[in-house]
Protein backbone atom coordinates (compact mmCIF):
# COMPACT_ATOMS: atom_id res chain seq x y z
CA UNK A 1 0.00 0.00 0.00
CA UNK A 2 1.34 3.40 -0.96
CA UNK A 3 1.92 5.80 1.96
CA UNK A 4 1.27 9.44 1.12
CA UNK A 5 3.02 12.18 3.06
CA UNK A 6 0.82 14.84 4.64
CA UNK A 7 1.65 17.83 2.46
CA UNK A 8 -0.79 20.69 3.06
CA UNK A 9 -0.44 24.12 1.49
CA UNK A 10 0.93 26.62 4.04
CA UNK A 11 0.23 30.31 3.58
CA UNK A 12 2.98 32.32 5.27
CA UNK A 13 1.96 35.96 5.71
CA UNK A 14 4.45 38.74 6.38
CA UNK A 15 3.31 42.23 7.38
CA UNK A 16 5.87 45.01 7.06
CA UNK A 17 6.16 48.78 7.10
CA UNK A 18 9.49 50.63 6.89
CA UNK A 19 11.64 47.85 8.32
CA UNK A 20 14.55 47.66 5.91
CA UNK A 21 16.82 46.45 8.72
CA UNK A 22 14.95 43.18 9.33
CA UNK A 23 12.81 42.33 6.32
CA UNK A 24 15.43 40.33 4.42
CA UNK A 25 16.12 38.08 7.42
CA UNK A 26 12.39 37.29 7.62
CA UNK A 27 12.01 36.70 3.87
CA UNK A 28 15.05 34.38 3.74
CA UNK A 29 13.69 32.39 6.66
CA UNK A 30 10.53 31.72 4.60
CA UNK A 31 11.86 31.19 1.09
CA UNK A 32 14.72 28.93 2.27
CA UNK A 33 12.41 26.46 4.06
CA UNK A 34 12.94 22.85 3.00
CA UNK A 35 9.15 22.48 2.95
CA UNK A 36 8.13 23.47 -0.59
CA UNK A 37 4.32 23.68 -0.47
CA UNK A 38 4.36 27.28 0.74
CA UNK A 39 2.36 30.23 -0.56
CA UNK A 40 4.16 33.40 0.52
CA UNK A 41 2.01 36.50 1.00
CA UNK A 42 3.64 39.87 1.77
CA UNK A 43 1.59 42.91 2.80
CA UNK A 44 3.57 46.16 2.85
CA UNK A 45 2.17 49.42 4.19
CA UNK A 46 3.72 51.51 1.37
CA UNK A 47 7.23 51.59 2.82
CA UNK A 48 9.59 54.36 1.72
CA UNK A 49 12.83 53.38 3.49
CA UNK A 50 14.18 50.79 1.04
CA UNK A 51 12.04 47.89 2.30
CA UNK A 52 10.29 47.54 -1.06
CA UNK A 53 13.62 47.34 -2.88
CA UNK A 54 14.61 44.40 -0.66
CA UNK A 55 11.24 42.70 -1.24
CA UNK A 56 11.64 43.23 -4.99
CA UNK A 57 14.77 41.04 -5.00
CA UNK A 58 12.63 38.07 -3.90
CA UNK A 59 9.62 38.85 -6.09
CA UNK A 60 9.81 35.53 -7.94
CA UNK A 61 9.43 33.64 -4.63
CA UNK A 62 6.50 35.70 -3.35
CA UNK A 63 3.09 34.46 -4.48
CA UNK A 64 1.17 37.62 -3.59
CA UNK A 65 2.47 41.11 -2.80
CA UNK A 66 0.40 44.13 -1.80
CA UNK A 67 1.93 47.54 -1.11
CA UNK A 68 -0.58 50.17 -0.05
CA UNK A 69 -1.55 52.31 2.92
CA UNK A 70 -3.40 50.48 5.65
CA UNK A 71 -5.23 51.38 8.84
CA UNK A 72 -2.88 49.63 11.23
CA UNK A 73 -1.35 46.21 11.78
CA UNK A 74 -4.59 44.23 12.05
CA UNK A 75 -6.01 45.84 8.92
CA UNK A 76 -2.84 44.70 7.14
CA UNK A 77 -3.09 41.24 8.67
CA UNK A 78 -6.71 40.94 7.55
CA UNK A 79 -5.58 41.82 4.02
CA UNK A 80 -3.04 39.00 4.23
CA UNK A 81 -5.66 36.54 5.45
CA UNK A 82 -8.00 37.53 2.62
CA UNK A 83 -5.25 36.84 0.07
CA UNK A 84 -4.23 33.49 1.54
CA UNK A 85 -5.46 30.32 -0.16
CA UNK A 86 -3.48 27.66 1.77
CA UNK A 87 -4.80 24.93 4.04
CA UNK A 88 -3.00 26.54 6.99
CA UNK A 89 -1.92 30.09 7.81
CA UNK A 90 0.92 31.45 9.88
CA UNK A 91 2.09 35.02 10.39
CA UNK A 92 5.82 35.63 10.22
CA UNK A 93 5.99 39.41 10.43
CA UNK A 94 9.02 41.52 9.64
CA UNK A 95 11.78 40.79 12.15
CA UNK A 96 10.47 37.33 13.01
CA UNK A 97 11.77 34.03 11.62
CA UNK A 98 11.10 30.33 11.44
CA UNK A 99 13.37 28.69 14.01
CA UNK A 100 15.37 26.84 11.34
CA UNK A 101 15.07 25.77 7.71
CA UNK A 102 13.38 22.46 8.65
CA UNK A 103 10.66 24.05 10.79
CA UNK A 104 7.64 23.91 8.49
CA UNK A 105 8.50 20.35 7.39
CA UNK A 106 8.87 19.25 11.02
CA UNK A 107 5.52 20.80 12.00
CA UNK A 108 3.56 18.87 9.39
CA UNK A 109 5.54 15.68 9.98
CA UNK A 110 4.49 15.73 13.65
CA UNK A 111 0.85 14.74 12.95
CA UNK A 112 -1.62 14.63 10.07
CA UNK A 113 -4.47 17.08 9.65
CA UNK A 114 -4.48 18.88 13.01
CA UNK A 115 -6.67 21.96 13.35
CA UNK A 116 -3.84 23.80 15.09
CA UNK A 117 -0.11 23.09 15.47
CA UNK A 118 2.04 25.00 17.94
CA UNK A 119 5.52 25.02 19.39
CA UNK A 120 8.07 26.96 21.40
CA UNK A 121 9.59 30.37 20.63
CA UNK A 122 13.09 31.75 21.06
CA UNK A 123 13.36 35.48 21.79
CA UNK A 124 15.96 37.55 19.92
CA UNK A 125 17.10 41.15 20.34
CA UNK A 126 17.72 43.86 17.71
CA UNK A 127 21.18 42.44 17.00
CA UNK A 128 19.75 38.98 16.36
CA UNK A 129 21.22 37.55 19.58
CA UNK A 130 19.21 34.97 21.53
CA UNK A 131 17.49 36.02 24.75
CA UNK A 132 16.41 32.43 25.39
CA UNK A 133 12.95 30.94 25.71
CA UNK A 134 9.87 33.10 26.23
CA UNK A 135 8.79 33.66 29.82
CA UNK A 136 5.45 32.10 28.87
CA UNK A 137 6.47 28.54 28.06
CA UNK A 138 4.21 26.79 25.55
CA UNK A 139 1.86 24.45 27.46
CA UNK A 140 2.13 20.68 27.03
CA UNK A 141 -1.52 20.75 25.94
CA UNK A 142 -3.36 23.81 24.69
CA UNK A 143 -7.06 24.71 24.66
CA UNK A 144 -8.84 28.04 24.30
CA UNK A 145 -8.67 28.42 28.08
CA UNK A 146 -4.88 28.31 27.89
CA UNK A 147 -4.38 32.08 27.71
CA UNK A 148 -5.97 32.85 31.08
CA UNK A 149 -2.54 33.53 32.62
CA UNK A 150 -1.13 35.25 29.53
CA UNK A 151 -0.32 34.48 25.91
CA UNK A 152 1.47 31.16 26.39
CA UNK A 153 2.03 30.61 22.65
CA UNK A 154 3.48 33.36 20.51
CA UNK A 155 1.74 34.41 17.32
CA UNK A 156 4.69 33.23 15.19
CA UNK A 157 4.54 29.74 16.69
CA UNK A 158 0.97 28.76 15.85
CA UNK A 159 -0.27 27.23 12.61
CA UNK A 160 -4.04 27.45 12.20
CA UNK A 161 -6.30 25.80 9.62
CA UNK A 162 -7.40 28.62 7.36
CA UNK A 163 -11.02 27.43 7.61
CA UNK A 164 -10.90 28.25 11.36
CA UNK A 165 -9.18 31.62 10.99
CA UNK A 166 -11.63 34.50 11.17
CA UNK A 167 -10.61 38.12 10.49
CA UNK A 168 -8.89 40.00 13.33
CA UNK A 169 -11.19 42.11 15.50
CA UNK A 170 -10.03 45.65 14.76
CA UNK A 171 -11.56 47.14 17.90
CA UNK A 172 -8.27 45.94 19.44
CA UNK A 173 -5.25 47.79 18.06
CA UNK A 174 -2.46 45.92 19.88
CA UNK A 175 -3.75 42.62 21.30
CA UNK A 176 -6.15 41.29 18.68
CA UNK A 177 -3.84 38.31 18.06
CA UNK A 178 -4.81 36.91 21.49
CA UNK A 179 -8.50 37.20 20.66
CA UNK A 180 -7.88 35.68 17.18
CA UNK A 181 -6.11 32.60 18.55
CA UNK A 182 -8.74 32.04 21.28
CA UNK A 183 -11.55 32.19 18.71
CA UNK A 184 -9.80 29.66 16.47
CA UNK A 185 -8.97 27.39 19.40
CA UNK A 186 -12.62 27.34 20.50
CA UNK A 187 -13.51 25.76 17.14
CA UNK A 188 -10.51 23.40 17.00
CA UNK A 189 -11.00 19.68 17.69
CA UNK A 190 -7.37 18.55 17.35
CA UNK A 191 -4.55 20.76 18.66
CA UNK A 192 -1.02 19.36 18.37
CA UNK A 193 2.11 20.37 20.27
CA UNK A 194 5.02 19.73 17.90
CA UNK A 195 7.44 19.65 20.89
CA UNK A 196 10.16 21.74 19.30
CA UNK A 197 11.19 25.35 18.80
CA UNK A 198 9.38 26.69 15.74
CA UNK A 199 9.96 30.47 15.75
CA UNK A 200 12.31 33.30 16.60
CA UNK A 201 10.54 36.41 17.84
CA UNK A 202 12.05 39.91 17.72
CA UNK A 203 11.49 41.52 21.12
CA UNK A 204 9.81 44.92 21.09
CA UNK A 205 7.06 46.10 18.76
CA UNK A 206 4.11 48.39 19.27
CA UNK A 207 2.61 46.49 22.21
CA UNK A 208 5.80 47.27 24.16
CA UNK A 209 5.73 50.96 23.19
CA UNK A 210 2.05 51.28 24.18
CA UNK A 211 2.16 48.86 27.07
CA UNK A 212 -0.76 50.30 29.07
CA UNK A 213 -3.15 50.17 26.11
CA UNK A 214 -1.98 46.65 25.30
CA UNK A 215 -2.66 45.50 28.88
CA UNK A 216 -6.13 47.07 28.91
CA UNK A 217 -7.00 45.32 25.65
CA UNK A 218 -5.73 41.99 26.98
CA UNK A 219 -7.81 42.40 30.13
CA UNK A 220 -10.94 43.06 28.06
CA UNK A 221 -10.31 40.02 25.84
CA UNK A 222 -9.78 37.77 28.84
CA UNK A 223 -12.82 39.18 30.63
CA UNK A 224 -15.02 38.43 27.61
CA UNK A 225 -13.71 34.87 27.32
CA UNK A 226 -13.09 33.84 30.93
CA UNK A 227 -15.37 36.12 32.98
CA UNK A 228 -14.61 39.21 35.10
CA UNK A 229 -13.90 37.65 38.51
CA UNK A 230 -11.57 34.89 37.22
CA UNK A 231 -9.75 37.46 35.06
CA UNK A 232 -9.17 39.80 38.02
CA UNK A 233 -7.84 36.87 40.08
CA UNK A 234 -5.71 35.60 37.21
CA UNK A 235 -4.10 39.02 36.83
CA UNK A 236 -2.79 38.79 40.39
CA UNK A 237 -1.17 35.48 39.37
CA UNK A 238 0.17 37.08 36.16
CA UNK A 239 1.65 40.02 38.14
CA UNK A 240 3.27 37.68 40.68
CA UNK A 241 4.78 35.47 37.97
CA UNK A 242 6.07 38.50 36.07
CA UNK A 243 7.65 40.02 39.18
CA UNK A 244 9.31 36.74 40.18
CA UNK A 245 10.68 36.20 36.67
CA UNK A 246 12.05 39.77 36.57
CA UNK A 247 13.74 39.39 39.96
CA UNK A 248 15.52 36.25 38.75
CA UNK A 249 16.37 37.36 35.21
CA UNK A 250 16.18 41.20 35.15
CA UNK A 251 14.10 41.03 31.96
CA UNK A 252 10.56 39.97 31.11
CA UNK A 253 11.02 37.96 27.85
CA UNK A 254 7.33 38.35 26.99
Amino acid sequence: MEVTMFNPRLSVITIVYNNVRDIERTIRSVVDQTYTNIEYVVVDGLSNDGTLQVIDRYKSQIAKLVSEKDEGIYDAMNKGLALATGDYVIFMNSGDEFYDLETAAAVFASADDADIYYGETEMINDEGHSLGQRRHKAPAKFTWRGFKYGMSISHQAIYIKRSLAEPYDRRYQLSSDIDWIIRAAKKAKNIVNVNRYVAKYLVGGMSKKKHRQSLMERFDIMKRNYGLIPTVFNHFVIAFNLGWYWLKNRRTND
Side-chain angles (χ1 to χ4, degrees):
M1 191 176 82
E2 187 182 343
V3 178
T4 56
M5 292 279 286
F6 183 55
N7 187 44
R9 188 104 164 123
L10 174 64
S11 293
V12 182
I13 304 168
T14 292
I15 306 303
V16 60
Y17 176 64
N18 282 352
N19 190 214
V20 70
R21 184 191 72 182
D22 300 314
I23 185 62
E24 186 163 33
R25 189 160 43 82
T26 298
I27 291 173
R28 289 296 300 268
S29 135
V30 178
V31 301
D32 291 346
Q33 286 293 301
T34 59
Y35 191 77
T36 54
N37 199 5
I38 288 177
E39 170 190 62
Y40 194 19
V41 178
V42 178
V43 180
D44 173 74
L46 211 56
S47 294
N48 55 18
D49 69 338
T51 294
L52 277 169
Q53 285 75 9
V54 175
I55 293 170
D56 195 58
R57 296 206 292 269
Y58 297 91
K59 208 162 51 179
S60 65
Q61 293 162 285
I62 295 170
K64 293 171 183 174
L65 170 63
V66 173
S67 183
E68 62 188 23
K69 280 286 183 196
D70 55 58
E71 296 173 8
I73 186 167
Y74 295 118
D75 179 38
M77 289 165 88
N78 279 341
K79 288 179 184 179
L81 271 180
L83 290 167
T85 63
D87 301 297
Y88 293 85
V89 293
I90 188 165
F91 282 87
M92 203 58 66
N93 292 337
S94 187
D96 302 326
E97 301 169 70
F98 286 99
Y99 185 71
D100 56 33
L101 300 184
E102 310 284 335
T103 296
V107 166
F108 292 125
S110 67
D112 286 1
D113 202 32
D115 291 324
I116 292 175
Y117 298 89
Y118 70 96
E120 197 56 81
T121 304
E122 181 183 43
M123 310 295 275
I124 56 172
N125 63 15
D126 286 344
E127 289 73 46
H129 299 145
S130 174
L131 298 173
Q133 188 180 51
R134 285 183 81 224
R135 177 170 61 87
H136 294 289
K137 191 177 186 304
K141 294 196 181 308
F142 176 67
T143 71
W144 67 270
R145 293 180 177 84
F147 281 179
K148 66 181 182 179
Y149 296 128
M151 194 172 177
S152 55
I153 305 168
S154 74
H155 203 208
Q156 302 76 11
I158 193 159
Y159 297 63
I160 295 177
K161 252 189 189 167
R162 191 170 59 87
S163 57
L164 302 182
E166 299 172 7
Y168 288 84
D169 187 338
R170 287 181 51 205
R171 85 179 103 166
Y172 303 114
Q173 297 177 310
L174 301 170
S175 299
S176 194
D177 45 348
I178 299 174
D179 171 74
W180 184 74
I181 293 171
I182 291 173
R183 281 188 284 138
K186 280 183 174 179
K187 294 185 284 185
K189 300 282 191 292
N190 182 20
I191 300 178
V192 171
N193 183 350
V194 302
N195 292 306
R196 82 187 304 271
Y197 278 87
V198 295
K200 294 180 182 179
Y201 171 62
L202 181 63
V203 173
M206 199 55 74
S207 60
K208 283 288 183 196
K209 297 187 180 85
K210 298 183 177 178
H211 197 51
R212 181 181 167 81
Q213 181 186 343
S214 173
L215 290 175
M216 289 174 68
E217 288 185 7
R218 287 179 185 208
F219 186 89
D220 189 64
I221 291 164
M222 291 178 183
K223 181 182 74 177
R224 283 196 303 110
N225 284 286
Y226 308 130
L228 175 60
I229 302 302
T231 296
V232 170
F233 174 79
N234 292 342
H235 271 71
F236 284 109
V237 178
I238 291 167
F240 175 82
N241 290 341
L242 174 61
W244 184 248
Y245 187 95
W246 191 87
L247 280 171
K248 288 198 297 181
N249 301 280
R250 288 296 189 267
R251 62 176 185 237
T252 60
N253 260 28
D254 282 329

